[in-house]
Amino acid sequence: MQFSADFVALGLHQADVHRAERELVLRMAAEARGSDDAGASSEPVAHRSHRGHGRALRLALR
């Protein structure tokens, strides 16, 4: 019985970590968009790669 409680607690912890990682990614993206819009630069804009678009930031928790 204790094993199942530990297993559920671990699953809830992992879900919280993934939610926090997604929020960090969203905040970083919003901050990047805000800084891009804030100042117009005379330099040409480089093409941004969307290759890693769906990947979330991974934090080491071990």
Side-chain angles (χ1 to χ4, degrees):
M1 194 63 150
Q2 182 62 38
F3 176 73
S4 347
D6 290 343
F7 188 71
V8 169
L10 179 62
L12 291 173
H13 173 72
Q14 288 176 341
D16 288 342
V17 168
H18 289 297
R19 188 178 308 116
E21 287 176 343
R22 281 192 302 270
E23 181 153 347
L24 283 172
V25 169
L26 290 174
R27 286 183 183 189
M28 289 170 45
E31 185 177 302
R33 281 193 310 267
S35 67
D36 287 348
D37 295 342
S41 127
S42 61
E43 298 177 12
V45 177
H47 177 70
R48 293 185 185 148
S49 172
H50 296 286
R51 187 173 181 176
H53 176 66
R55 296 184 184 170
L57 177 65
R58 303 291 294 198
L59 302 176
L61 299 174
R62 295 180 189 182

